[in-house]
Amino acid sequence: MIDTRSYLAVVPAYNEEGTVTRVIRSIQDAAPEFDVLVVDDGSTDSTGDRAEEAGARVLRHPFNLGIGGAVQSGFAYAREHGYKRMVQVDGDGQHDPAEIERLMEAMDEDRSLDMICGSRFLTRDRDYVAPVSRRTGIHIFAFLLSRIVGQRVTDPTSGFRLYNRRAIALFARDYPHDYPEVEAVLMVHFHRLRMREMSVRMFQRGGGVSSISSGKSVYYMIKVLLAIFIGLVRARPVVDPGDEAPVAAAHGI
Ligand SMILES: Nc1nc2c(ncn2[C@@H]2O[C@H](COP(=O)(O)OP(=O)(O)O)[C@@H](O)[C@H]2O)c(=O)[nH]1
Ligand SMILES: [Mg+2]
């Protein structure tokens, strides 16, 4: 039986041998109370071995499922092992683990929050400026989502997010696959969970290539816009994360 603590950092990684060790080390330094799980999404390089060498737990997908599948494996692991909270930190070095403590404090201050999203657009000092095509897409998604969910959303594609048990339960059951972040905000809204954004620093990719290269950004835009509209019309699966409450109660939460 693996002994688990209360908090899990999930690092989705696809061919990130150049950055994954540094990411794991910076999580271990900045947030030592977190267990670290690297989801090696069918990498063809030595991402998994590097992660093990750095002392992380490694979940290896036999083949590449894509970012949505990689992160959902993290949610399933978090639920299976009874973690109270889970944070996603990308394996490419774009997220700053030193910001995890601030996300945790915000969730401690307001226990009714189920998801806290790190936004790079709420801070003036930007270490990273996304390419114009990508930024345009993000602002269009942000505009649409803010109207649909009735609260200001500035960075709907950020993967740097902290989740509590209710959100873990929801996403362990159902998590979007391609470019999941935007649809996940819709799901939180339609399942009456609560979210807020916080300003965080975002860095350039530390190596490798983004899943959204400039050539792909038009496909990305259309795909996510379609997902938003389908999200609006699709029937809501009756998934009440609340039914985890008995388990939570049993754990004295
Ligand atoms: N590109 C890509 N990244 C993946 C995949 N599975 C997991 N990831 C990881 O997901 C994280 C975010 O992906 P990335 O391409 O950086 O997306 P971006 O930051 O939104 O441009 C990175 O740590 C990737 O290594 C996949 O199938 N493709
Ligand atoms: Mg990235």
Side-chain angles (χ1 to χ4, degrees), residues 191-229:
H191 287 96
R192 296 184 296 286
L193 271 66
R194 291 198 61 239
M195 69 160 266
R196 68 161 278 206
E197 285 188 326
M198 276 187 73
S199 68
V200 293
R201 289 194 307 173
M202 198 82 74
F203 301 125
Q204 291 287 358
R205 208 171 213 287
V209 284
S210 163
S211 52
I212 304 160
S213 54
S214 53
K216 266 205 185 158
S217 50
V218 177
Y219 164 75
Y220 168 67
M221 285 282 296
I222 296 167
K223 167 87 192 32
V224 176
L225 285 174
L226 260 180
I228 291 177
F229 290 115

Short mmCIF file of all heavy atoms in Angstrom, two decimals, residues 191-229:
data_model
loop_
_atom_site.label_atom_id
_atom_site.label_comp_id
_atom_site.label_asym_id
_atom_site.label_seq_id
_atom_site.Cartn_x
_atom_site.Cartn_y
_atom_site.Cartn_z
N HIS A 191 -22.09 22.15 -13.27
CA HIS A 191 -22.26 21.24 -12.13
C HIS A 191 -22.31 22.01 -10.83
O HIS A 191 -22.11 21.43 -9.76
CB HIS A 191 -21.13 20.21 -12.12
CG HIS A 191 -21.31 19.20 -13.20
ND1 HIS A 191 -20.68 19.30 -14.41
CD2 HIS A 191 -22.09 18.10 -13.27
CE1 HIS A 191 -21.05 18.30 -15.18
NE2 HIS A 191 -21.89 17.55 -14.52
N ARG A 192 -22.50 23.30 -10.96
CA ARG A 192 -22.69 24.18 -9.79
C ARG A 192 -21.51 24.08 -8.82
O ARG A 192 -21.69 24.13 -7.60
CB ARG A 192 -24.00 23.86 -9.06
CG ARG A 192 -25.24 24.14 -9.95
CD ARG A 192 -26.51 23.91 -9.20
NE ARG A 192 -26.68 22.51 -8.80
CZ ARG A 192 -26.99 21.53 -9.66
NH1 ARG A 192 -27.13 21.80 -10.94
NH2 ARG A 192 -27.15 20.30 -9.25
N LEU A 193 -20.33 23.89 -9.38
CA LEU A 193 -19.14 24.01 -8.51
C LEU A 193 -18.68 25.46 -8.57
O LEU A 193 -19.11 26.22 -9.44
CB LEU A 193 -18.03 23.09 -9.01
CG LEU A 193 -18.04 21.66 -8.44
CD1 LEU A 193 -19.26 20.89 -8.89
CD2 LEU A 193 -16.77 20.94 -8.81
N ARG A 194 -17.80 25.85 -7.65
CA ARG A 194 -17.37 27.25 -7.61
C ARG A 194 -15.91 27.40 -8.00
O ARG A 194 -15.07 26.60 -7.59
CB ARG A 194 -17.60 27.85 -6.22
CG ARG A 194 -19.08 28.01 -5.88
CD ARG A 194 -19.29 28.99 -4.72
NE ARG A 194 -18.80 30.30 -5.05
CZ ARG A 194 -17.84 30.95 -4.36
NH1 ARG A 194 -17.27 30.36 -3.33
NH2 ARG A 194 -17.45 32.14 -4.72
N MET A 195 -15.59 28.41 -8.81
CA MET A 195 -14.20 28.65 -9.24
C MET A 195 -13.85 30.13 -9.10
O MET A 195 -14.72 30.99 -9.04
CB MET A 195 -13.98 28.22 -10.69
CG MET A 195 -14.69 29.09 -11.72
SD MET A 195 -13.97 28.94 -13.37
CE MET A 195 -12.83 30.30 -13.38
N ARG A 196 -12.57 30.40 -9.01
CA ARG A 196 -12.10 31.78 -9.12
C ARG A 196 -10.72 31.75 -9.76
O ARG A 196 -10.08 30.71 -9.85
CB ARG A 196 -12.08 32.54 -7.80
CG ARG A 196 -11.06 32.06 -6.79
CD ARG A 196 -10.75 33.09 -5.72
NE ARG A 196 -9.78 34.09 -6.18
CZ ARG A 196 -8.99 34.75 -5.30
NH1 ARG A 196 -9.11 34.54 -4.01
NH2 ARG A 196 -8.11 35.63 -5.76
N GLU A 197 -10.27 32.91 -10.23
CA GLU A 197 -8.95 33.03 -10.85
C GLU A 197 -8.02 33.79 -9.91
O GLU A 197 -8.47 34.58 -9.08
CB GLU A 197 -9.04 33.79 -12.17
CG GLU A 197 -9.62 33.00 -13.32
CD GLU A 197 -9.50 33.74 -14.64
OE1 GLU A 197 -9.59 35.00 -14.63
OE2 GLU A 197 -9.29 33.09 -15.68
N MET A 198 -6.72 33.53 -10.07
CA MET A 198 -5.70 34.28 -9.32
C MET A 198 -4.56 34.62 -10.27
O MET A 198 -4.26 33.83 -11.17
CB MET A 198 -5.08 33.39 -8.23
CG MET A 198 -5.88 33.36 -6.97
SD MET A 198 -4.95 32.46 -5.73
CE MET A 198 -3.69 33.69 -5.39
N SER A 199 -3.90 35.76 -10.05
CA SER A 199 -2.79 36.10 -10.95
C SER A 199 -1.60 35.21 -10.66
O SER A 199 -1.26 34.94 -9.51
CB SER A 199 -2.38 37.57 -10.73
OG SER A 199 -1.81 37.68 -9.44
N VAL A 200 -1.01 34.67 -11.69
CA VAL A 200 0.21 33.87 -11.55
C VAL A 200 1.19 34.23 -12.66
O VAL A 200 0.78 34.75 -13.70
CB VAL A 200 -0.06 32.34 -11.65
CG1 VAL A 200 -0.87 31.84 -10.48
CG2 VAL A 200 -0.69 32.00 -12.99
N ARG A 201 2.44 33.91 -12.43
CA ARG A 201 3.44 34.09 -13.50
C ARG A 201 3.39 32.88 -14.42
O ARG A 201 3.13 31.76 -13.96
CB ARG A 201 4.84 34.19 -12.88
CG ARG A 201 5.01 35.50 -12.14
CD ARG A 201 6.43 35.75 -11.83
NE ARG A 201 7.03 34.62 -11.12
CZ ARG A 201 8.32 34.56 -10.85
NH1 ARG A 201 9.11 35.54 -11.25
NH2 ARG A 201 8.83 33.57 -10.20
N MET A 202 3.63 33.10 -15.67
CA MET A 202 3.70 31.99 -16.64
C MET A 202 5.01 32.19 -17.42
O MET A 202 5.37 33.32 -17.73
CB MET A 202 2.48 32.09 -17.57
CG MET A 202 2.12 30.88 -18.36
SD MET A 202 1.17 29.65 -17.49
CE MET A 202 -0.46 30.28 -17.34
N PHE A 203 5.74 31.09 -17.66
CA PHE A 203 7.02 31.20 -18.36
C PHE A 203 6.90 30.68 -19.78
O PHE A 203 5.95 29.99 -20.13
CB PHE A 203 8.08 30.37 -17.62
CG PHE A 203 8.30 30.81 -16.19
CD1 PHE A 203 8.17 29.90 -15.16
CD2 PHE A 203 8.64 32.12 -15.90
CE1 PHE A 203 8.38 30.28 -13.83
CE2 PHE A 203 8.85 32.52 -14.59
CZ PHE A 203 8.72 31.59 -13.55
N GLN A 204 7.94 30.98 -20.58
CA GLN A 204 8.05 30.35 -21.89
C GLN A 204 8.23 28.85 -21.67
O GLN A 204 8.70 28.43 -20.61
CB GLN A 204 9.32 30.85 -22.61
CG GLN A 204 9.30 32.29 -23.06
CD GLN A 204 8.40 32.53 -24.24
OE1 GLN A 204 7.81 31.57 -24.78
NE2 GLN A 204 8.22 33.76 -24.62
N ARG A 205 7.87 28.06 -22.64
CA ARG A 205 8.11 26.63 -22.61
C ARG A 205 9.62 26.40 -22.41
O ARG A 205 10.43 27.04 -23.09
CB ARG A 205 7.68 26.09 -23.98
CG ARG A 205 7.25 24.76 -24.01
CD ARG A 205 6.65 24.32 -25.33
NE ARG A 205 5.63 23.39 -25.04
CZ ARG A 205 5.89 22.15 -24.63
NH1 ARG A 205 7.13 21.75 -24.50
NH2 ARG A 205 4.90 21.32 -24.35
N GLY A 206 10.00 25.46 -21.50
CA GLY A 206 11.43 25.26 -21.23
C GLY A 206 12.10 24.39 -22.26
O GLY A 206 13.32 24.26 -22.29
N GLY A 207 11.32 23.75 -23.14
CA GLY A 207 11.90 22.89 -24.19
C GLY A 207 10.75 22.25 -24.95
O GLY A 207 9.59 22.60 -24.72
N GLY A 208 11.06 21.34 -25.86
CA GLY A 208 9.99 20.62 -26.58
C GLY A 208 9.12 21.57 -27.39
O GLY A 208 9.44 22.75 -27.57
N VAL A 209 7.98 21.08 -27.87
CA VAL A 209 7.07 21.91 -28.68
C VAL A 209 5.67 21.89 -28.08
O VAL A 209 5.23 20.89 -27.52
CB VAL A 209 6.96 21.39 -30.14
CG1 VAL A 209 8.21 21.77 -30.93
CG2 VAL A 209 6.72 19.89 -30.18
N SER A 210 4.97 23.03 -28.21
CA SER A 210 3.60 23.11 -27.69
C SER A 210 2.65 22.29 -28.57
O SER A 210 2.90 22.09 -29.75
CB SER A 210 3.12 24.57 -27.69
OG SER A 210 1.70 24.58 -27.56
N SER A 211 1.55 21.82 -27.95
CA SER A 211 0.55 21.07 -28.70
C SER A 211 -0.20 22.01 -29.63
O SER A 211 -0.91 21.59 -30.52
CB SER A 211 -0.44 20.42 -27.74
OG SER A 211 -0.94 21.40 -26.85
N ILE A 212 0.00 23.32 -29.41
CA ILE A 212 -0.74 24.27 -30.24
C ILE A 212 0.25 25.13 -31.01
O ILE A 212 0.53 26.27 -30.66
CB ILE A 212 -1.67 25.13 -29.36
CG1 ILE A 212 -2.58 24.17 -28.56
CG2 ILE A 212 -2.50 26.07 -30.22
CD1 ILE A 212 -3.21 24.77 -27.36
N SER A 213 0.83 24.53 -32.06
CA SER A 213 1.76 25.32 -32.88
C SER A 213 0.96 26.31 -33.71
O SER A 213 -0.26 26.19 -33.83
CB SER A 213 2.51 24.35 -33.81
OG SER A 213 1.53 23.61 -34.53
N SER A 214 1.62 27.30 -34.30
CA SER A 214 0.90 28.35 -35.04
C SER A 214 0.04 27.71 -36.13
O SER A 214 -1.12 28.07 -36.30
CB SER A 214 1.89 29.34 -35.64
OG SER A 214 2.84 28.59 -36.37
N GLY A 215 0.57 26.66 -36.81
CA GLY A 215 -0.21 26.04 -37.91
C GLY A 215 -1.52 25.47 -37.38
O GLY A 215 -2.57 25.52 -38.01
N LYS A 216 -1.48 25.03 -36.12
CA LYS A 216 -2.66 24.34 -35.56
C LYS A 216 -3.64 25.31 -34.94
O LYS A 216 -4.74 24.94 -34.57
CB LYS A 216 -2.18 23.38 -34.46
CG LYS A 216 -1.93 21.96 -34.91
CD LYS A 216 -2.09 21.06 -33.70
CE LYS A 216 -1.76 19.63 -33.97
NZ LYS A 216 -1.43 18.95 -32.70
N SER A 217 -3.28 26.61 -34.82
CA SER A 217 -4.11 27.47 -33.98
C SER A 217 -5.50 27.69 -34.58
O SER A 217 -6.47 27.82 -33.83
CB SER A 217 -3.43 28.80 -33.70
OG SER A 217 -2.97 29.35 -34.87
N VAL A 218 -5.64 27.64 -35.91
CA VAL A 218 -6.99 27.80 -36.48
C VAL A 218 -7.84 26.58 -36.11
O VAL A 218 -8.97 26.72 -35.63
CB VAL A 218 -6.91 27.96 -38.02
CG1 VAL A 218 -8.32 28.04 -38.62
CG2 VAL A 218 -6.10 29.21 -38.37
N TYR A 219 -7.25 25.39 -36.25
CA TYR A 219 -7.97 24.16 -35.88
C TYR A 219 -8.34 24.23 -34.40
O TYR A 219 -9.49 23.97 -34.01
CB TYR A 219 -7.08 22.93 -36.13
CG TYR A 219 -7.56 21.68 -35.44
CD1 TYR A 219 -8.65 20.98 -35.94
CD2 TYR A 219 -6.96 21.22 -34.27
CE1 TYR A 219 -9.12 19.85 -35.29
CE2 TYR A 219 -7.41 20.10 -33.61
CZ TYR A 219 -8.49 19.41 -34.13
OH TYR A 219 -8.96 18.31 -33.47
N TYR A 220 -7.40 24.69 -33.60
CA TYR A 220 -7.60 24.83 -32.14
C TYR A 220 -8.78 25.75 -31.87
O TYR A 220 -9.69 25.42 -31.10
CB TYR A 220 -6.30 25.37 -31.56
CG TYR A 220 -6.33 25.87 -30.14
CD1 TYR A 220 -6.54 24.99 -29.09
CD2 TYR A 220 -6.10 27.20 -29.86
CE1 TYR A 220 -6.55 25.45 -27.79
CE2 TYR A 220 -6.09 27.66 -28.56
CZ TYR A 220 -6.31 26.77 -27.53
OH TYR A 220 -6.32 27.23 -26.25
N MET A 221 -8.80 26.90 -32.56
CA MET A 221 -9.89 27.87 -32.34
C MET A 221 -11.23 27.24 -32.65
O MET A 221 -12.15 27.26 -31.84
CB MET A 221 -9.70 29.06 -33.29
CG MET A 221 -8.62 30.03 -32.93
SD MET A 221 -9.17 31.11 -31.62
CE MET A 221 -10.49 31.97 -32.45
N ILE A 222 -11.32 26.64 -33.85
CA ILE A 222 -12.61 26.06 -34.28
C ILE A 222 -13.02 24.95 -33.31
O ILE A 222 -14.17 24.91 -32.85
CB ILE A 222 -12.49 25.53 -35.73
CG1 ILE A 222 -12.22 26.70 -36.68
CG2 ILE A 222 -13.75 24.77 -36.14
CD1 ILE A 222 -11.78 26.27 -38.07
N LYS A 223 -12.05 24.11 -32.95
CA LYS A 223 -12.35 22.97 -32.07
C LYS A 223 -12.91 23.45 -30.74
O LYS A 223 -13.92 22.97 -30.26
CB LYS A 223 -11.05 22.19 -31.87
CG LYS A 223 -11.05 21.18 -30.77
CD LYS A 223 -11.55 19.86 -31.23
CE LYS A 223 -11.86 18.89 -30.12
NZ LYS A 223 -12.34 19.37 -28.86
N VAL A 224 -12.27 24.44 -30.15
CA VAL A 224 -12.69 24.90 -28.82
C VAL A 224 -14.01 25.67 -28.91
O VAL A 224 -14.89 25.51 -28.06
CB VAL A 224 -11.59 25.75 -28.15
CG1 VAL A 224 -12.07 26.30 -26.82
CG2 VAL A 224 -10.34 24.91 -27.93
N LEU A 225 -14.21 26.47 -29.99
CA LEU A 225 -15.49 27.19 -30.13
C LEU A 225 -16.62 26.18 -30.27
O LEU A 225 -17.67 26.32 -29.64
CB LEU A 225 -15.43 28.13 -31.34
CG LEU A 225 -14.62 29.40 -31.15
CD1 LEU A 225 -14.49 30.18 -32.45
CD2 LEU A 225 -15.23 30.27 -30.05
N LEU A 226 -16.37 25.15 -31.08
CA LEU A 226 -17.39 24.09 -31.23
C LEU A 226 -17.68 23.46 -29.87
O LEU A 226 -18.83 23.28 -29.49
CB LEU A 226 -16.83 23.00 -32.18
CG LEU A 226 -17.29 23.04 -33.64
CD1 LEU A 226 -16.65 21.89 -34.40
CD2 LEU A 226 -18.83 22.93 -33.68
N ALA A 227 -16.60 23.18 -29.12
CA ALA A 227 -16.78 22.53 -27.82
C ALA A 227 -17.61 23.40 -26.90
O ALA A 227 -18.47 22.92 -26.16
CB ALA A 227 -15.41 22.26 -27.20
N ILE A 228 -17.40 24.71 -26.96
CA ILE A 228 -18.19 25.62 -26.12
C ILE A 228 -19.68 25.50 -26.49
O ILE A 228 -20.54 25.32 -25.63
CB ILE A 228 -17.71 27.08 -26.27
CG1 ILE A 228 -16.32 27.24 -25.66
CG2 ILE A 228 -18.69 28.05 -25.61
CD1 ILE A 228 -15.71 28.62 -25.82
N PHE A 229 -19.98 25.53 -27.80
CA PHE A 229 -21.39 25.47 -28.21
C PHE A 229 -21.99 24.11 -27.89
O PHE A 229 -23.11 24.02 -27.39
CB PHE A 229 -21.52 25.85 -29.68
CG PHE A 229 -21.23 27.34 -29.87
CD1 PHE A 229 -20.14 27.79 -30.58
CD2 PHE A 229 -22.05 28.28 -29.25
CE1 PHE A 229 -19.87 29.15 -30.70
CE2 PHE A 229 -21.79 29.65 -29.35
CZ PHE A 229 -20.68 30.08 -30.09
#
